[in-house]
Amino acid sequence: MALRIAQLPVDPPVLLAPMAGITDLPFRRLAVRFGAGLVVSEMVASREVVCAGAEARARAEIGAAEGRTAVQLAGCDPHWMAEAARLVEAQGARIIDINMGCPAKRVTNGWSGSALMREPDRALALIEAVVGAVAVPVTLKMRLGWDEGMLNAPEIARRAEAAGVAMITIHGRTRCQFYTGRADWAAIRPVVEAVSVPVVANGDITGPEEAQAALAASGAAGVMVGRGAQGRPWLLGQVASALDGRAAPKVPEAEALADLVVAHYEEMLSFYGRDLGLRVARKHLNWYLEAAGLAAHRGPIVTGTDPARVVRALRQAFGAQERAAA
């Protein structure tokens, strides 16, 4: 089972969703290591990335040229979206994704993200500008609509395909739902039926069973995993193995899991620098501990400011898990 974005195969058709403050380069590398078919960068504000100096761009380190990576751009101005697309293409991006799904008020108040679903003509102008600016495939991520009274994803998808978009991802909620309730995978099917390009289903895909149910309900060509991968970067590989009948990746436990978490922690400190890295790492460490049933050990780990002590505490926590299982 595979899908194609223009001439680029995505195999397996299991994608990591862009999540602000979460799917940074260290986390995306882990997801690819465990078998993700494609990972999408954190949302990049188009005007800001163009106007930033070379030093700021280097610090941002989008990872555009990393294997199996799409770079997601957000904005409301066709000019800046096109300029940002040219920039990340020059940095090596193989795929550029347009954000029309983010529900956050700080984004929608500026007529970016899912606010564009309220203005299809404005959205189309952005899409046309990006597609016209680059030679690499352009994809689109959006929601079912702004609210229950404006479920216009099929209409926008048709227009996006006509403008040259090569793949569309649909989160099975409206913007006004944010992340409440359950994603409506069946409501994605009208988008699948409206276009000939691949459609990917997103929302509440937390394991292989949910992925299979989402594909059955939506008729989509693949799935995108978001919050379910927090603390479980191997989840995409598990989903892929269930869909394709491949050997599932071995889920690390005890000492092996400690090694993975410590390596991820140290890479975050290296990537961000010590002070910022300590703050960014807290949520990831908390998710790892919760997923492993070790939340009781998180105090000195999540709040620790001495990396050496945090590493020791992590190894002690996972060692305690191994002893308890023996």
Side-chain angles (χ1 to χ4, degrees):
M1 183 178 179
L3 63 83
R4 299 185 74 86
I5 300 175
Q7 300 305 311
L8 298 176
V10 176
D11 185 15
V14 180
L15 291 68
L16 177 67
M19 293 180 282
I22 299 169
T23 53
D24 55 19
L25 192 53
F27 190 81
R28 296 200 308 272
R29 284 172 173 162
L30 269 177
V32 168
R33 170 183 152 191
F34 280 105
L38 185 73
V39 295
V40 186
S41 76
E42 298 173 89
M43 177 179 67
V44 178
S46 56
R47 182 166 184 164
E48 283 74 359
V49 76
V50 173
C51 294
E55 184 179 348
R57 289 180 195 153
R59 285 200 306 270
E61 205 169 335
I62 298 167
E66 292 270 326
R68 302 190 184 189
T69 297
V71 176
Q72 188 182 76
L73 299 177
C76 62
D77 186 304
H79 169 76
W80 292 115
M81 287 288 286
E83 288 300 307
R86 292 188 186 98
L87 174 64
V88 297
E89 181 185 38
Q91 291 177 335
R94 297 175 179 87
I95 299 168
I96 295 170
D97 187 61
I98 298 173
N99 183 311
M100 281 176 47
C102 181
K105 289 182 180 179
R106 63 180 174 79
V107 175
T108 59
N109 285 348
W111 285 102
S112 297
S114 55
L116 288 165
M117 300 197 73
R118 300 176 71 181
E119 297 283 346
D121 291 342
R122 183 196 294 259
L124 189 67
L126 291 181
I127 293 166
E128 291 174 338
V130 174
V131 171
V134 296
V136 298
V138 175
T139 62
L140 174 65
K141 187 173 191 293
M142 60 180 174
R143 290 187 165 226
L144 297 174
W146 177 258
D147 58 22
E148 291 296 324
M150 187 182 289
L151 300 176
N152 57 354
E155 171 203 345
I156 294 175
R158 279 192 293 267
R159 297 181 69 180
E161 179 184 27
V165 161
M167 186 190 79
I168 299 167
T169 300
I170 304 291
H171 184 115
R173 290 182 174 88
T174 65
R175 182 272 174 182
C176 290
Q177 285 180 280
F178 287 86
Y179 297 99
T180 61
R182 294 290 301 171
D184 187 351
W185 301 319
I188 298 172
R189 186 172 285 274
V191 181
V192 174
E193 294 171 348
V195 297
S196 59
V197 296
V199 175
V200 172
N202 175 225
D204 294 340
I205 297 173
T206 56
E209 291 184 3
E210 290 80 8
Q212 290 167 331
L215 290 174
S218 66
V223 294
M224 179 174 278
V225 179
R227 291 172 292 167
Q230 294 171 355
R232 300 188 297 163
W234 50 83
L235 177 63
L236 287 89
Q238 290 179 307
V239 169
S241 67
L243 297 182
D244 281 357
R246 307 181 187 189
K250 183 174 175 58
V251 176
E253 298 178 345
E255 184 178 356
L257 182 53
D259 289 342
L260 181 149
V261 175
V262 167
H264 187 191
Y265 176 64
E266 291 175 342
E267 186 174 0
M268 285 186 282
L269 297 183
S270 175
F271 181 75
Y272 289 105
R274 184 181 182 279
D275 291 343
L276 178 57
L278 285 170
R279 295 196 296 273
V280 172
R282 288 170 183 161
K283 55 180 173 284
H284 289 279
L285 296 178
N286 190 48
W287 290 326
Y288 280 125
L289 292 167
E290 286 187 348
L294 295 170
H297 294 262
R298 63 187 171 192
I301 294 172
V302 173
T303 62
T305 57
D306 180 342
R309 289 185 177 180
V310 171
V311 168
R312 284 198 298 271
L314 280 168
R315 294 202 177 278
Q316 288 170 357
F318 290 109
Q321 181 190 46
E322 186 171 20
R323 289 190 298 273

